Amino acid sequence: MLNIVLFGPPGAGKGTQSENIIQKYQLTHISTGDLFRKHLSEGTELGKLAQKYMNEGNLVPDDVVIGMVDDKINQTTNSKGFIFDGFPRTVAQAEALDVVLEKKGTPIKGMIALFVEDEELIKRIEHRGKTSGRADDQDIEKIHNRINVYKNETLPVMDYYQKQGKLHEIRGLGTVEEIFERIATAIDTL
Ligand code: ADP
């Protein structure tokens, strides 16, 4: 199986590029942000629990996230591989993911990390906020908080995969097509 972690700060283009990756490589998409938003719109207990963290731009507690991803992986059959988008976001989540995948005998093949400067990220998120309806996209303080949370809690996840020789860094500036070409070139070496 081709299991990939798609990594990058909020607004880096993970959602957009995931769609291209899924289409080309026929992978199963696991976006924790999308899963939480689905729970939120369906009014589940999990959604209610996650909402207060999401609205402030803070991370949902690890055990909640890990449980949700574990369920999703175990419900999936006949997959060519998983693309993890917005997950793992802490080292504890990365370690837990390794345990889950080890049980299935199918490890992470590589991490694709998108790089975009803060200024561009803020511009993109504010622009998305005009149409996304996402509370966390519409308030400049919450946007800054998400970028800070990324730097403090999520960046160490990159070291975790780098130590395993799995890190592939991609420049996230350019057209969607240009960036996808860089990503596909990296994936084809995995
Ligand atoms: P973005 O990449 O724009 O920040 P996401 O859709 O990935 O957006 O995530 C939205 C919010 O959902 C996050 O700010 C966080 O509150 C919550 N969330 C998503 N994935 C995780 C995760 N793996 N761990 C903890 N919280 C998460």
Side-chain angles (χ1 to χ4, degrees):
M1 283 171 84
L2 180 61
N3 299 324
I4 298 171
V5 173
L6 184 62
F7 188 81
K14 298 188 295 289
T16 308
Q17 294 299 340
S18 289
E19 286 175 27
N20 290 332
I21 298 169
I22 294 157
Q23 230 182 6
K24 181 164 165 120
Y25 298 94
Q26 298 179 327
L27 304 179
T28 306
H29 189 205
I30 299 192
S31 158
T32 44
D34 286 353
L35 289 172
F36 282 130
R37 280 185 288 275
K38 186 157 183 282
H39 276 282
L40 220 111
S41 71
E42 289 170 356
T44 69
E45 285 306 312
L46 184 64
K48 283 177 206 154
L49 192 155
Q51 185 168 28
K52 62 176 191 293
Y53 297 100
M54 294 177 74
N55 281 351
E56 294 304 318
N58 292 321
L59 295 184
V60 178
D62 283 337
D63 54 341
V64 178
V65 185
I66 293 162
M68 184 177 73
V69 173
D70 193 7
D71 285 347
K72 186 79 188 166
I73 291 174
N74 288 310
Q75 282 160 11
T76 308
T77 48
N78 281 329
S79 174
K80 291 191 175 174
F82 293 101
I83 175 133
F84 297 98
D85 164 0
F87 175 88
R89 248 174 162 99
T90 63
V91 172
Q93 291 179 16
E95 288 168 347
L97 178 62
D98 275 350
V99 173
V100 175
L101 291 178
E102 206 170 295
K103 278 191 213 142
K104 293 186 85 74
T106 170
I108 291 292
K109 287 272 167 63
M111 165 185 267
I112 303 289
L114 293 173
F115 272 87
V116 178
E117 301 85 71
D118 289 0
E119 209 182 309
E120 171 72 13
L121 294 175
I122 292 165
K123 247 199 289 183
R124 288 185 191 178
I125 298 171
E126 282 188 314
H127 181 73
R128 181 172 70 186
K130 289 182 189 148
T131 53
S132 71
R134 281 175 55 169
D136 62 345
D137 280 349
Q138 297 185 18
D139 179 322
I140 191 69
E141 267 177 44
K142 288 171 188 174
I143 296 172
H144 279 294
N145 186 40
R146 274 152 73 203
I147 293 173
N148 285 335
V149 167
Y150 169 78
K151 288 182 179 161
N152 295 329
E153 301 181 52
T154 305
L155 262 182
V157 175
M158 211 164 75
D159 297 335
Y160 180 84
Y161 289 99
Q162 184 167 32
K163 282 187 190 129
Q164 301 178 23
K166 293 180 178 171
L167 174 64
H168 299 263
E169 295 184 56
I170 307 281
R171 205 159 50 90
L173 270 189
T175 65
V176 171
E177 293 77 18
E178 281 164 352
I179 298 162
F180 180 57
E181 221 176 278
R182 292 175 206 148
I183 293 174
T185 303
I187 291 179
D188 289 338
T189 68
L190 299 179

